[in-house]
Amino acid sequence: MGVDGKVLLTARESPGEGRQEAIAELAEARAQLREAHETIEAMRGGGVDSLVIGPLGQQQVYSLESADRPYRLIVEAMNEGAATVTPRGTLLNANPRLAAMTGRDPMELVGSPVLDLIPDAYRLTFARLIEVGAGDSARGEVALTGPDGTAVPVLLAVSGFDLDGTFLRCLVLADLTAQRAAENQTAMAHEARESEERLRVLFDNAPVGMGEMTLSGELVRANSLYGQILGYTVDELLSPALSRQDFTHPDDRDAELADRQRLLAGEIDTYSIEKRFLHRDGGIVWAEVNRAVVRDSAGEPLLTIATMRDLTAQREAEAEVRTLNAELEARVRVRTADLEWSNENLQAFAYSVSHDLRTPLRGMSGFSEALLTDYGDRLDETGREFARRIQAASERMGRVIDDLLSLSEVSHADMHLESVDLSAEVAGIAARLRSGEPDRLVSFAIEDDVLVTADPALIRVVLKDLIENAWKFTAGCDGATIEFATTTVDDAGFCYYVRDNGVGFDPAYSHKLFQPFQRLHAAEFDGTGIGLASVRRIVERHGGRTWAKGAVDGGATFYFTLNSRTREDSQ
């Protein structure tokens, strides 16, 4: 008969021949309905009391009482919607329940396409379900368009049958709305139980103490850590024999009263406070308490939830740190006083030694000079050499004393920071050295506008010692060069340097360069070994550091940094 979903879905929409066939079928169905209606009316009026049904020779007689009336009563009283549909999807009849489910009049449904009752999203499923032949059946879930336009879930049962050569389908539709609501409630209840279980596990195993309290402050629920912090079991905390006042420190019982009142009044949602509790063993427990209120749908407070974090160990550690800091400060004060006393004594000693030594040194120098002048002709060459050595040694000792005093001064002199043009200072030192030894040919390369913030007097000592060292150790070089400039070094950042192409030094002994009286060229070059020690001391007082690189007969480079530099802040 060509009964399939495609035919059903296009029954109302196919133009031309299909539409004419549908009109003809509908007319035939209406004629049959009129005939049936006339027959029913005749039966109701008493004109017909029985029906003869079946082919010739096999007729059966059915009375109205035995067939039509019980069937009609059952269908009309069904709680499920029921309808009979032609192969092309036209409704031949519908019971009152189906009309109520769809919000239509039963007589309005008769002769209308059944697809008018099905939402678009379910039409394909509906068409597949009613694709049954005579004697077949199918079941499935679809939906009807309800009175308010919403989709009503239904369970559809379809049966195909042949009625005197006419193929029809019987539809029974059970409303699933109540079942779905019950299923949703069951699912919601299941989710609620799962959520409650998750919250219970979280509450019981939280890394902080947790407790629930009534609005009056009575503890009604607590986790084990809440009790551990206070030294009680959970059962003991919840016992009527133990009140919140029993484990709250007397001095802190009113501390959070104002915040609790604001919380319950709805002025704040939560608050945090650090307070003391009484441990079961009598000790003091410091804890951070965070409290929030739980409200009902109307905004009225139901209970409060509190979390408690034990701060006792932290407070004890803080107290210990304060004690240690106080002790350390006291030690620093003592050490500082001792250091100041030592420095004062050292300075006094240095000045005393210098003054006490200068007089005999001057005497030794003077007498040795007089000896050479007045009695030189009476001495042999050995005696005169001894006298010259005495005079040179006394003069050298005088320079050592001067350098020691200078080192002491640069180590303790007050610093006055201001802008200093290092380029100009180096240029001045170079000019003085050239005027002192005009026969020497030394090329100077000086970077322009190297500005720093430093103590002018002390930084001049640094430059003087470094440039004079370079001048001294390039004395025997042809084409001697001395360079002053800035650079950036990976492990030190922005720095300054003085470089020469003189005799250099053995890198294995570079660690001795900045130590007092450590000289790597004692025999060949004059000096006391104090200059580089003074350089390091001054640079360190400016928050910087010093180092050197060199090679034997390969020149030397001396680097230093300063915490306060301008140089347009190195660009």
Side-chain angles (χ1 to χ4, degrees):
M1 299 180 64
V3 182
D4 53 34
K6 293 182 180 178
V7 174
L8 179 64
L9 286 173
T10 59
R12 302 183 60 208
E13 302 171 4
S14 300
E17 183 178 347
R19 182 175 179 83
Q20 295 300 325
E21 292 178 359
I23 293 174
E25 184 179 356
L26 181 58
E28 180 183 353
R30 287 177 174 171
Q32 292 176 354
L33 286 173
R34 282 196 300 272
E35 182 180 352
H37 181 69
E38 291 172 357
T39 301
I40 292 172
E41 288 301 319
M43 294 169 65
R44 286 176 175 172
V48 177
D49 60 1
S50 62
L51 295 173
V52 179
I53 300 176
L56 187 62
Q58 299 180 9
Q59 298 92 336
Q60 295 185 16
V61 179
Y62 293 88
S63 68
L64 180 62
E65 288 295 327
S66 64
D68 179 71
R69 181 176 177 78
Y71 169 77
R72 179 162 45 83
L73 290 175
I74 290 173
V75 172
E76 291 182 354
M78 285 175 60
N79 194 43
E80 293 82 14
T84 304
V85 182
T86 69
R88 291 192 175 276
T90 302
L91 286 165
L92 293 180
N93 56 57
N95 71 346
R97 176 57 180 157
L98 180 60
M101 291 167 66
T102 59
R104 303 190 185 189
D105 185 89
M107 295 308 297
E108 179 185 352
L109 292 176
V110 175
S112 64
V114 69
L115 285 181
D116 286 354
L117 307 181
I118 309 299
D120 292 342
Y122 294 89
R123 288 188 176 184
L124 183 58
T125 302
F126 180 82
R128 290 172 178 168
L129 285 173
I130 69 171
E131 188 182 345
V132 297
D136 296 330
S137 63
R139 292 168 64 89
E141 292 187 12
V142 292
L144 293 175
T145 301
D148 57 357
T150 60
V152 179
V154 295
L155 176 63
L156 170 64
V158 183
S159 299
F161 64 93
D162 185 283
L163 181 61
D164 296 333
T166 301
F167 177 74
L168 299 173
R169 295 185 180 94
C170 179
L171 312 182
V172 177
L173 303 100
D175 191 343
L176 300 178
T177 303
Q179 179 180 333
R180 291 288 181 268
E183 291 173 352
N184 290 338
Q185 289 180 352
T186 301
M188 292 174 60
H190 180 69
E191 291 178 0
R193 286 194 297 271
E194 287 185 346
S195 177
E196 183 177 352
E197 178 63 15
R198 287 194 296 269
L199 289 176
R200 185 194 65 78
V201 172
L202 175 62
F203 186 93
D204 292 341
N205 298 279
V208 294
M210 296 188 69
E212 293 181 3
M213 293 184 178
T214 64
L215 300 181
S216 61
E218 179 185 356
L219 187 66
V220 294
R221 185 182 179 189
N223 65 358
S224 58
L225 187 55
Y226 194 101
Q228 290 175 18
I229 293 174
L230 301 175
Y232 295 90
T233 66
V234 173
D235 291 339
E236 289 173 332
L237 286 176
L238 303 182
S239 171
L242 187 67
S243 69
R244 186 165 61 94
Q245 305 301 322
D246 294 327
F247 51 80
T248 300
H249 195 282
D251 295 340
D252 289 347
R253 287 173 183 170
D254 297 329
E256 58 177 324
L257 179 60
D259 286 333
R260 286 191 72 252
Q261 291 175 343
R262 293 178 61 203
L263 186 73
L264 298 178
E267 298 178 10
I268 56 176
D269 295 326
T270 183
Y271 68 85
S272 177
I273 187 174
E274 293 185 6
K275 56 183 293 187
R276 288 165 294 179
F277 291 90
L278 298 177
H279 195 271
R280 183 174 191 167
D281 62 7
I284 302 298
V285 176
W286 274 99
E288 178 187 45
V289 177
N290 291 277
R291 194 178 303 278
V293 67
V294 178
R295 302 180 184 277
D296 60 18
S297 58
E300 295 298 322
L302 294 175
L303 52 86
T304 62
I305 296 179
T307 61
M308 179 191 299
R309 184 168 65 92
D310 192 347
L311 300 179
T312 306
Q314 177 182 327
R315 287 299 185 97
E316 291 175 351
E318 291 172 352
E320 184 176 355
V321 169
R322 287 193 295 269
T323 301
L324 292 175
N325 285 339
E327 293 177 356
L328 181 60
E329 290 175 359
R331 291 178 184 176
V332 169
R333 287 193 295 269
V334 172
R335 295 289 177 84
T336 301
D338 291 344
L339 181 60
E340 290 175 351
W341 180 80
S342 298
N343 286 336
E344 290 175 358
N345 286 344
L346 180 61
Q347 286 182 282
F349 174 76
Y351 281 107
S352 175
V353 168
S354 67
H355 286 86
D356 290 345
L357 289 179
R358 284 184 189 278
T359 300
L361 283 174
R362 281 195 297 268
M364 290 173 61
S365 177
F367 284 126
S368 61
E369 183 179 0
L371 183 63
L372 288 171
T373 302
D374 299 338
Y375 300 96
D377 55 346
R378 300 182 187 182
L379 298 174
D380 58 13
E381 184 58 31
T382 300
R384 287 193 294 271
E385 178 62 22
F386 287 162
R388 285 192 292 269
R389 289 188 178 185
I390 293 172
Q391 186 177 19
S394 61
E395 291 174 354
R396 177 177 172 77
M397 188 61 185
R399 290 196 300 272
V400 170
I401 292 173
D402 291 339
D403 288 344
L404 283 174
L405 286 174
S406 176
L407 180 60
S408 176
E409 289 174 358
V410 300
S411 300
H412 304 96
D414 293 336
M415 291 179 59
H416 304 282
L417 300 181
E418 58 185 73
S419 180
V420 181
D421 186 344
L422 298 188
S423 301
E425 295 291 339
V426 172
I429 296 170
R432 179 176 55 79
L433 290 172
R434 280 172 170 163
S435 65
E437 295 183 60
D439 295 336
R440 284 196 58 185
L441 298 178
V442 178
S443 175
F444 278 88
I446 303 172
E447 182 178 333
D448 293 332
D449 300 325
V450 179
L451 304 177
V452 300
T453 299
D455 182 278
L458 294 179
I459 204 66
R460 287 189 192 105
V461 173
V462 171
L463 297 175
K464 172 180 175 293
D465 287 343
L466 293 178
I467 299 298
E468 287 182 352
N469 259 8
W471 179 272
K472 176 170 59 176
F473 292 117
T474 57
C477 298
D478 295 330
T481 61
I482 298 175
E483 178 185 2
F484 169 76
T486 61
T487 188
T488 301
V489 179
D490 290 341
D491 62 344
F494 186 83
C495 61
Y496 314 87
Y497 68 88
V498 173
R499 177 177 294 140
D500 65 69
N501 62 344
V503 298
F505 58 86
D506 186 344
Y509 301 101
S510 60
H511 61 284
K512 295 184 176 182
L513 287 172
F514 297 96
Q515 296 179 12
F517 306 113
Q518 295 292 327
R519 303 182 62 231
L520 303 187
H521 304 284
E524 305 96 324
F525 298 94
D526 186 30
T528 62
I530 299 297
L532 290 180
S534 298
V535 168
R536 170 161 287 182
R537 194 71 56 86
I538 293 171
V539 169
E540 288 177 347
R541 293 195 66 193
H542 283 78
R545 51 176 288 225
T546 57
W547 70 99
K549 294 181 180 180
V552 176
D553 297 325
T557 304
F558 289 83
Y559 300 89
F560 66 94
T561 64
L562 299 172
N563 259 355
S564 302
R565 58 177 172 80
T566 59
R567 177 64 174 159
E568 302 302 330
D569 284 338
S570 74
Q571 306 298 321

